Amino acid sequence: MKQPPLEDQYQMFGSISLSAFGAELLRHSLLPELLGKDAASLLYWAGKQLARRYPLETLDDVAVFFERAGWGALSVGEERNDELSIELSGPIIAARFSLYGSCSFQLEAGFLAQQIEQQKRFVTEAVELPSKQAGKARILVKWDRKQAIE
């Protein structure tokens, strides 16, 4: 099924204001129960699939996507030769940590890995890092310069 352009979806859904409760019910109650022990890897894969469906040209575009998707505020940290540190923050991230203590950001990590792979044209993966600051998530994205994507 062909997806409507992302900008059309932003316009259509952007004016609707909902609480994050419904999304969090799915993320923390239903999906882990349905996916079981494979939840983390399947959510990572799902994030990669979403990124393939919604390719974005720049990290600024990715940050806008995160905000509009309710995934938090994305801050890009230091970029080294083959890695980039990213931080997620904002009320939704702080609330998830506060309510659940240990949270998974595998959906976001998979999405970031695939977006950066598409932008840099190198095989890319992402991993969650332990949070240094309360209420913030950290993701490290790494690419392999020896494995170019054609």
Side-chain angles (χ1 to χ4, degrees):
M1 181 173 147
K2 187 171 178 354
Q3 293 293 322
L6 195 52
E7 204 51 48
D8 290 352
Q9 291 180 56
Y10 285 161
Q11 288 178 354
M12 178 66 73
F13 294 113
S15 63
I16 300 170
S17 178
L18 297 173
S19 79
F21 180 63
E24 292 304 308
L25 276 175
L26 292 173
R27 182 188 285 261
H28 290 286
S29 295
L30 183 62
L31 286 177
E33 190 170 317
L34 290 174
L35 302 175
K37 63 179 174 48
D38 297 323
S41 60
L42 290 171
L43 287 171
Y44 186 86
W45 175 84
K48 289 181 80 95
Q49 285 298 106
L50 283 172
R52 288 181 191 110
R53 185 170 289 169
Y54 299 104
L56 302 166
E57 292 184 22
T58 68
L59 283 172
D60 287 339
D61 294 339
V62 174
V64 169
F65 185 96
F66 267 65
E67 285 284 338
R68 292 184 175 173
W71 291 357
L74 185 144
S75 301
V76 176
E78 184 180 353
E79 181 174 340
R80 296 190 187 135
N81 288 339
D82 62 352
E83 66 182 37
L84 179 66
S85 61
I86 294 183
E87 186 175 86
L88 301 178
S89 61
I92 189 68
I93 305 300
R96 288 177 65 197
F97 276 117
S98 176
L99 285 171
Y100 308 114
S102 175
C103 325
S104 169
F105 294 91
Q106 288 299 299
L107 181 72
E108 294 86 343
F111 188 86
L112 287 166
Q114 188 62 40
Q115 289 294 349
I116 292 173
E117 180 172 299
Q118 292 166 171
Q119 291 173 14
K120 296 209 175 274
R121 309 302 300 158
F122 293 113
V123 172
T124 304
E125 294 298 331
V127 294
E128 289 182 63
L129 298 174
S131 187
K132 287 185 178 176
Q133 291 182 306
K136 295 185 178 183
R138 296 184 324 135
I139 297 172
L140 181 65
V141 182
K142 296 186 72 135
W143 52 92
D144 185 348
R145 292 185 182 274
K146 296 176 186 168
Q147 293 189 34
I149 305 289
E150 296 302 319

